[in-house]
Amino acid sequence: MKKIFLTILAAFSTMQLFSQVIEGSIVNAETNKPLAHVNVLVKNSAQGTVSDSGGLFLLSLPEKQNARLLISCVGFETQEVEVDRDENKRLSIQLRPASIQLNKSIVVTATGNERLSFQTPDAVSVITGQELKNNAPRSMAEALIGATGVWMQKTNHGGGSPFVRGLTGNQTLLLIDGIRLNNAIFRYGPNQYFNTIDVFSVDRVEVIRGKGSVMYGSDALGGVINVLTRTPQYTSGQSCFGSRGQLKYMNKGMEKSGLGEVLYETKNFAISGSANYKDFGDIYAGGSLNYERPSAYDENGFNLKAKARFSENWQITSALQYLRQNNVGRYDQVAQRGYLLYRYDPQIHRLAYVKVERYSENNWFRKVKLTLSNQLSDETRKKQKENSTIFTQESDLIKTNGILLECNSLIQKNWEAISGAEFYADKVESGKTTTDLATGSQTPSRGLYPDGSGMQNFGLFSQHSIKHKNLQLNFGGRFNTFQIRSSDNEFGEIKLKPNSLVGNISLQYFSSPTQQFIVSAHSAFRAPNINDISTFGSFDYGIEIPSSDLSPEKTFTVEGGYKKSAEQFSMAFTAFNTRLKDQIVRVESTYKGEEFIDGERVYKKANVAKSNIVGLEFESGFQLNRRLAIINNLTWLYGKDLENDEPMRRIPPLNGKLALQYSQAGIFGETELLFASPQDRLSSGDIDDHRIPEGGTPGWSILNFKTGYTWDKISVNVGLQNILNKAYRIHGSGVDGYGRSFWMSFQFKV
């Protein structure tokens, strides 16, 4: 096997592509110094490379046609360059540093193709690789704090549930490299699954606010968050080995973490492998709150990723991601709910996938991509009440297989489309064991879900974009069908076969090359899942029993927006109204004729609610001079439960960010103010929620400072959090925010 592997590796390393080869150089437009590790991609082909240490690159062009190069580098403005095959001159490219990334980042989630976010009709938030480096977030949940239109609730330190347009949990769709993370047991309300993605493996995060059901199916009521992981790159020159390392330390014992990665890159083959370990201590909260215990846990994992191209038309990418978290405590349950012990031990997520891409000169099949994926999510909960000898262990394991086929087409010169089909199949393994610690006796029983439950999801979609002069029309539709089943001795067999049809339409008017106005309307849906129809167990304020007759939740949204993208000033503004109907919510019920089980109120789920959410989202960036820039955003939401004539549950307060950034020749600095107003508009569910103080969550503002310096292949970043040591809590969270603390991150490349 070793000889076979080495033979294949050598073949990839020496493979020559039979097409015209061009060369070029890339420099910093301000310093005229060469730029290394710049990505150079030939659009609509498998061709791509990175510049070497001298800023040079070699690239093969597709035969029989001119080509457009997409040139991008972290911290610089992205460029598109058209190359005429009849011209043999060497390319000389200058990239301008970009302190303001707003509307200038590449996104793929919105349209399925690489586009500048300014060109899309959607409300988009992007966390770039440069921002991840500068902020050195502890987890994926903390990586999105301060992003426009995103509210990060943390029930516990090892969790983190993003709210997008007031919706979270199974009403917001999470993707990893375009593959669904949401599965059949995603819970209503906040959950911890977003935190089971290794933040060290992430290249960037794209958030599509309020839209995405046509492209990605169920659960995208609030929007779509796509986490794109790091990918090794092809080289222009000789084959090479490389490595990367990262260390991070936070005082008060709150973090010690590290990553090691090795790479092997050639002209037509690249592979990387990394391993990481993170030791997270208990939260040291602001004011006089001190340590919040138990909130500590540890995490370890590894990532493998490889890609190979067999010609200028074929490419294959494969990946394996694994992450395990141990002893993840629920501080809120121990501090407020009478538990001696309540923890997740372990939380595991594993994803393996293969993507095969074929590029063609046939306009109907310009790019065809087939993705095969396999996922495993394992969650074990361990509980014991105070003054009780009963120890309970619940385990839920879900296995997911997926197939996704996508086709990009150029129907006419100015008419692009992406169409496809997808299939996901989930299988649930669930169990519970109760142990009397006084006697040692153990009793196995039904888990939170019936063991062997399953869900299948099949969808067809097509999304189109037509340009005419300074107008662009975007429209699409999707049909989805599901088969959901669960069966147990107590509640019998439940089978559901819901269908859903959704669509979207938007119009962009480009009044100039740097600004546009947008109007759009779109529908979305969320199919009921195994968690909805078969849950039997406790939640924050009661006991839930199964529901046998549920249909999809639906939303309809209208919105208007404005985007501007200029050299010194960029901004985006969106106003929207979302109407929700057939919402699946908990209603009071009975179990065997009784309203209470062990003193807890009995609930079940039903399609009885309808609500309305109105919102405003604003963000801007202003370049004061070559070194200084002001970045800010503001999000306001107003949600109303129309059925009960009360506020919607968990609606975030007015919140935003104001930051002053400095950058020059490898030096970065930022002073950041994060803030939120009080939230005293509470639903009856909010009032019953132990995580929300009586009368609502107080407003807060915290001041942070970050700085960093990069020497060639070495970077050091440091930060001060909550400089004024304010005590604060993000609305709906079960833990408080960090107090005054210090962190340092060290990165190197070889």
Side-chain angles (χ1 to χ4, degrees):
M1 288 298 295
K2 182 177 180 181
K3 291 182 179 180
I4 294 175
F5 174 76
L6 292 175
T7 301
I8 295 174
L9 198 62
F12 281 130
S13 302
T14 58
M15 183 182 295
Q16 299 295 318
L17 302 179
F18 298 99
S19 55
Q20 181 184 5
V21 176
I22 62 168
E23 62 178 335
S25 63
I26 305 174
V27 298
N28 184 322
E30 291 189 356
T31 65
N32 208 38
K33 292 183 178 180
L35 288 175
H37 305 292
V38 177
N39 293 310
V40 183
L41 173 70
V42 181
K43 296 190 73 172
N44 301 313
S45 83
Q47 295 300 87
T49 188
V50 294
S51 60
D52 63 18
S53 59
L56 304 177
F57 69 90
L58 295 172
L59 195 62
S60 298
L61 291 182
E63 296 181 0
K64 302 179 183 179
Q65 63 181 34
N66 294 341
R68 293 194 69 84
L69 304 184
L70 190 65
I71 301 167
S72 62
C73 182
V74 172
F76 291 83
E77 294 184 1
T78 298
Q79 283 191 24
E80 281 197 27
V81 177
E82 185 163 2
V83 180
D84 188 338
R85 284 183 45 81
D86 295 329
E87 296 182 5
N88 295 316
K89 66 179 182 180
R90 173 174 170 169
L91 295 178
S92 180
I93 298 167
Q94 294 184 331
L95 290 185
R96 294 184 59 85
S99 296
I100 302 174
Q101 294 288 342
L102 176 60
N103 294 329
K104 299 175 182 178
S105 299
I106 296 176
V107 295
V108 297
T109 311
T111 63
N113 288 312
E114 294 88 356
R115 285 190 184 180
L116 290 176
S117 55
F118 175 73
Q119 298 171 347
T120 72
D122 303 319
V124 179
S125 301
V126 180
I127 309 300
T128 66
Q130 186 67 44
E131 290 173 301
L132 292 171
K133 177 183 176 181
N134 293 339
N135 297 333
R138 186 191 65 85
S139 64
M140 276 310 306
E142 295 178 15
L144 265 65
I145 291 177
T148 306
V150 181
W151 180 255
M152 283 305 311
Q153 184 267 16
K154 290 177 61 179
T155 293
N156 62 322
H157 199 37
S161 193
F163 281 67
V164 182
R165 294 196 169 175
L167 302 174
T168 192
N170 54 25
Q171 295 179 321
T172 296
L173 180 59
L174 307 179
L175 307 174
I176 305 177
D177 293 336
I179 298 166
R180 292 177 66 93
L181 177 62
N182 290 41
N183 56 44
I185 63 171
F186 254 52
R187 295 189 289 274
Y188 166 75
N191 58 49
Q192 79 281 10
Y193 301 111
F194 192 59
N195 204 53
T196 61
I197 303 172
D198 172 27
V199 69
F200 281 166
S201 71
V202 178
D203 179 64
R204 69 183 188 276
V205 185
E206 300 177 1
V207 183
I208 309 300
R209 307 192 301 270
K211 191 178 176 184
S213 232
V214 166
M215 287 282 292
Y216 300 103
S218 180
D219 302 4
L221 303 182
V224 178
I225 300 177
N226 190 10
V227 178
L228 297 159
T229 60
R230 298 172 63 91
T231 301
Q233 301 297 325
Y234 304 124
T235 63
S236 294
Q238 295 181 346
S239 305
C240 62
F241 284 94
S243 62
R244 179 175 72 97
Q246 183 170 342
L247 298 171
K248 188 187 173 190
Y249 168 82
M250 189 186 301
N251 72 334
K252 311 288 187 182
M254 287 193 287
E255 180 179 356
K256 295 186 287 290
S257 58
L259 163 85
E261 181 180 41
V262 294
L263 306 95
Y264 177 69
E265 299 173 334
T266 76
K267 291 183 178 180
N268 303 305
F269 176 74
I271 186 169
S272 66
S274 67
N276 66 81
Y277 178 78
K278 306 181 182 77
D279 180 2
F280 300 123
D282 292 307
I283 293 173
Y284 188 86
S288 59
L289 295 176
N290 213 306
Y291 285 101
E292 297 190 339
R293 297 186 172 102
S295 55
Y297 68 99
D298 65 84
E299 174 180 310
N300 59 81
F302 65 86
N303 296 278
L304 297 172
K305 200 167 191 179
K307 67 177 184 179
R309 57 186 176 201
F310 303 97
S311 70
E312 62 187 37
N313 296 326
W314 286 92
Q315 178 172 267
I316 184 169
T317 304
S318 60
L320 174 61
Q321 303 168 9
Y322 176 86
L323 184 135
R324 178 188 178 107
Q325 297 169 333
N326 304 299
N327 297 311
V328 183
R330 279 287 299 266
Y331 166 77
D332 62 313
Q333 297 287 346
V334 173
Q336 295 178 270
R337 299 274 288 170
Y339 278 90
L340 176 67
L341 170 71
Y342 196 122
R343 64 173 181 249
Y344 300 100
D345 185 26
Q347 290 180 164
I348 297 174
H349 178 253
R350 186 196 70 206
L351 168 64
Y353 68 79
V354 175
K355 292 184 179 181
V356 181
E357 297 168 287
R358 184 184 187 278
Y359 300 84
S360 170
E361 295 180 11
N362 186 317
N363 285 337
W364 286 94
F365 304 98
R366 294 179 74 193
K367 176 183 174 182
V368 178
K369 180 168 67 175
L370 175 66
T371 304
L372 306 177
S373 63
N374 174 270
Q375 287 188 81
L376 178 144
S377 177
D378 188 355
E379 174 185 327
T380 299
R381 298 175 296 278
K382 298 176 179 179
K383 311 175 188 178
Q384 183 182 351
K385 283 276 193 176
E386 291 179 342
N387 303 317
S388 173
T389 62
I390 303 301
F391 172 81
T392 302
Q393 179 168 308
E394 300 174 328
S395 178
D396 301 319
L397 185 147
I398 182 165
K399 300 174 182 177
T400 304
N401 293 310
I403 302 175
L404 173 61
L405 179 65
E406 299 170 285
C407 177
N408 293 81
S409 305
L410 183 63
I411 298 176
Q412 292 182 3
K413 181 179 179 180
N414 295 316
W415 184 347
E416 295 182 354
I418 178 171
S419 304
E422 68 176 14
F423 175 79
Y424 287 91
D426 297 339
K427 184 178 180 181
V428 178
E429 298 176 12
S430 184
K432 176 179 176 180
T433 301
T434 302
T435 303
D436 188 331
L437 299 178
T439 64
S441 63
Q442 293 186 335
T443 306
S445 61
R446 179 197 194 271
L448 188 60
Y449 315 107
D451 191 45
S453 300
M455 179 174 176
Q456 295 180 333
N457 165 6
F458 176 74
L460 297 170
F461 67 92
S462 187
Q463 180 70 41
H464 298 252
S465 177
I466 301 175
K467 296 179 182 179
H468 178 67
K469 296 182 179 179
N470 57 351
L471 293 174
Q472 182 165 310
L473 176 67
N474 310 276
F475 61 93
R478 181 186 188 98
F479 173 75
N480 246 106
T481 183
F482 299 83
Q483 291 189 9
I484 312 164
R485 56 175 178 78
S486 71
S487 178
D488 63 37
N489 295 330
E490 184 167 5
F491 296 98
E493 185 175 52
I494 300 174
K495 286 186 177 181
L496 296 178
K497 295 183 179 181
N499 300 318
S500 194
L501 182 66
V502 293
N504 63 48
I505 186 169
S506 64
L507 182 66
Q508 298 169 264
Y509 171 64
F510 293 86
S511 57
S512 74
T514 62
Q515 67 178 357
Q516 62 168 304
F517 297 87
I518 310 159
V519 292
S520 65
H522 47 87
S523 56
F525 75 100
R526 185 186 78 83
N529 62 18
I530 298 297
N531 179 269
D532 295 311
I533 70 170
S534 65
T535 294
F536 183 38
S538 62
F539 63 99
D540 294 325
Y541 56 87
I543 299 288
E544 183 177 332
I545 63 173
S547 302
S548 59
D549 187 15
L550 295 174
S551 59
E553 299 179 303
K554 299 173 184 176
T555 65
F556 180 76
T557 299
V558 292
E559 63 183 80
Y562 169 80
K563 292 183 183 181
K564 183 175 181 62
S565 181
E567 183 175 329
Q568 291 185 310
F569 178 70
S570 291
M571 69 165 287
F573 173 77
T574 305
F576 69 91
N577 182 285
T578 297
R579 182 63 61 98
L580 300 90
K581 67 176 184 178
D582 298 329
Q583 282 179 266
I584 300 174
V585 297
R586 295 186 179 102
V587 297
E588 293 182 351
S589 186
T590 61
Y591 173 70
K592 296 182 177 179
E594 299 293 331
E595 296 181 348
F596 293 88
I597 301 176
D598 297 331
E600 300 267 18
R601 191 66 174 84
V602 176
Y603 291 82
K604 67 182 296 185
K605 292 201 178 97
N607 291 98
V608 297
K610 56 182 179 180
S611 304
N612 194 71
I613 303 175
V614 178
L616 301 175
E617 300 163 338
F618 171 82
E619 57 184 330
S620 71
F622 180 64
Q623 194 82 41
L624 298 174
N625 55 43
R626 292 177 62 189
R627 307 298 175 217
L628 290 173
I630 294 177
I631 309 295
N632 69 93
N633 66 61
L634 192 67
T635 302
W636 173 81
L637 298 172
Y638 183 91
K640 185 173 183 180
D641 182 337
L642 302 176
E643 193 71 25
N644 298 315
D645 192 26
E646 67 173 19
M648 276 186 70
R649 193 173 181 207
R650 301 188 179 100
I651 291 295
L654 175 73
N655 65 90
K657 170 183 174 177
L658 177 63
L660 177 66
Q661 295 181 345
Y662 175 85
S663 61
Q664 178 185 11
I667 302 174
F668 165 81
E670 178 179 283
T671 301
E672 170 190 69
L673 178 70
L674 299 174
F675 59 90
S677 66
Q679 182 54 289
D680 53 10
R681 291 191 69 251
L682 305 179
S683 69
S684 55
D686 291 334
I687 294 172
D688 291 336
D689 193 332
H690 68 279
R691 295 168 294 191
I692 298 175
E694 184 176 353
T697 305
W700 51 269
S701 61
I702 60 169
L703 187 66
N704 302 322
F705 175 75
K706 310 157 208 172
T707 187
Y709 187 71
T710 299
W711 299 268
D712 191 20
K713 297 181 180 181
I714 298 176
S715 297
V716 175
N717 290 76
V718 297
L720 293 174
Q721 301 179 117
N722 195 359
I723 294 172
L724 302 179
N725 200 34
K726 297 284 190 70
Y728 74 100
R729 175 173 290 201
I730 294 176
H731 179 62
S733 296
V735 293
D736 296 287
Y738 299 126
R740 184 187 297 118
S741 53
F742 163 85
W743 59 262
M744 174 181 285
S745 175
F746 173 77
Q747 301 180 45
F748 68 88
K749 296 179 181 178
V750 177

